[in-house]
Amino acid sequence: EAGVTQFPSHSVIEKGQTVTLRCDPISGHDNLYWYRRVMGKEIKFLLHFVKESKQDESGMPNNRFLAERTGGTYSTLKVQPAELEDSGVYFCASSQFTGSISPLHFGNGTRLTVT
Amino acid sequence: AQSVTQPDIHITVSEGASLELRCNYSYGATPYLFWYVQSPGQGLQLLLKYFSGDTLVQGIKGFEAEFKRSQSSFNLRKPSVHWSDAAEYFCAVGVLNNAGNMLTFGGGTRLMVKP
């Protein structure tokens, strides 16, 4: 089966610009998660979708971040306007089962650099 | 709230030597524990997981980990390291709540392998 795919793999933008990251989960996985690792820090949870619904967005840093998952398939994460502190690696993950612990399958991540 | 500590930021071992990466967690209930590995240019790959039962769990690539409740630890081991094991390793605790299956990660341990 195809794994979790993320696009782009790298993005370099200037402060104030907008960037949209995309994640395609494993087919049939209802759960989709976004995580982020800023330089030298831990990987931190951002939000969780179950199908098209946001289940938990407690990790979103501020309202410059907007995540969507229209139709319950792929998801986008938009940063607008980007700030320097948004630089880091953004990981997407998916899992099949809701309501039970199951391993998350991660994509390769998008490395975002804001200059 | 749960937390994970990986005391060693960097570790260097010689190829063929044994390896132990330390992980300590803090969580009030029975933890679900994971080890992930990130090789250069790759995403996070699940090495092994502990949900319940036998406290010594086997994973892929010859890795194993032992859950010790009394020490709140879940250390990762490998008897003989290969050059291809050079990567960054992340320990994580999983929490199942109303929102879903959320992982809290440690800061990671970067492993270098000397020839």
Side-chain angles (χ1 to χ4, degrees):
Chain A
E1 66 179 5
V4 176
T5 57
Q6 293 187 244
F7 182 83
S9 57
H10 293 84
S11 180
V12 181
I13 61 171
E14 294 183 352
K15 176 183 173 182
Q17 290 185 320
T18 297
V19 63
T20 300
L21 314 180
R22 172 170 170 145
C23 169
D24 288 76
I26 293 173
S27 178
H29 282 197
D30 287 341
N31 297 281
L32 187 148
Y33 301 81
W34 284 98
Y35 284 78
R36 176 176 78 165
R37 188 184 194 196
V38 296
M39 187 65 68
K41 302 286 189 180
E42 295 89 354
I43 301 169
K44 294 280 196 182
F45 167 82
L46 295 179
L47 86 158
H48 169 215
F49 284 98
V50 177
K51 297 184 180 178
E52 67 276 7
S53 299
K54 291 178 187 175
Q55 197 71 15
D56 180 359
E57 51 185 332
S58 61
M60 295 286 263
N62 50 61
N63 59 11
R64 295 185 294 103
F65 289 76
L66 175 64
E68 295 179 321
R69 193 183 182 195
T70 307
T73 55
Y74 71 91
S75 174
T76 58
L77 180 64
K78 180 189 289 187
V79 185
Q80 179 182 31
E83 298 289 345
L84 298 178
E85 64 265 24
D86 301 331
S87 295
V89 181
Y90 290 76
F91 292 103
C92 176
S94 70
S95 69
Q96 186 172 8
F97 301 112
T98 303
S100 65
I101 290 284
S102 57
L104 302 188
H105 300 265
F106 283 84
N108 287 354
T110 293
R111 180 174 296 278
L112 174 64
T113 302
V114 182
T115 62
Chain B
Q2 63 278 4
S3 66
V4 179
T5 301
Q6 294 179 245
D8 304 305
I9 298 174
H10 296 277
I11 283 186
T12 300
V13 300
S14 297
E15 190 169 17
S18 63
L19 172 70
E20 181 169 34
L21 302 183
R22 295 183 291 164
C23 172
N24 293 95
Y25 67 90
S26 173
Y27 183 54
T30 301
Y32 302 97
L33 297 162
F34 304 84
W35 274 98
Y36 283 86
V37 60
Q38 185 181 20
S39 299
Q42 303 295 311
L44 294 166
Q45 181 183 22
L46 178 68
L47 281 177
L48 48 78
K49 61 186 184 292
Y50 172 77
F51 287 179
S52 65
D54 193 347
T55 56
L56 183 64
V57 293
Q58 303 297 319
I60 62 171
K61 305 185 179 185
F63 285 92
E64 67 178 26
E66 185 171 14
F67 169 57
K68 293 185 177 180
R69 185 187 299 276
S70 62
Q71 298 177 19
S72 297
S73 69
F74 189 56
N75 294 348
L76 182 71
R77 300 194 295 249
K78 186 170 184 177
S80 178
V81 169
H82 188 263
W83 64 267
S84 60
D85 294 324
E88 192 160 18
Y89 293 79
F90 297 92
C91 181
V93 60
V95 175
L96 181 63
N97 55 30
N98 290 334
N101 173 6
M102 184 190 304
L103 294 183
T104 298
F105 286 89
T109 298
R110 187 171 295 279
L111 173 66
M112 297 183 65
V113 181
K114 294 189 299 184

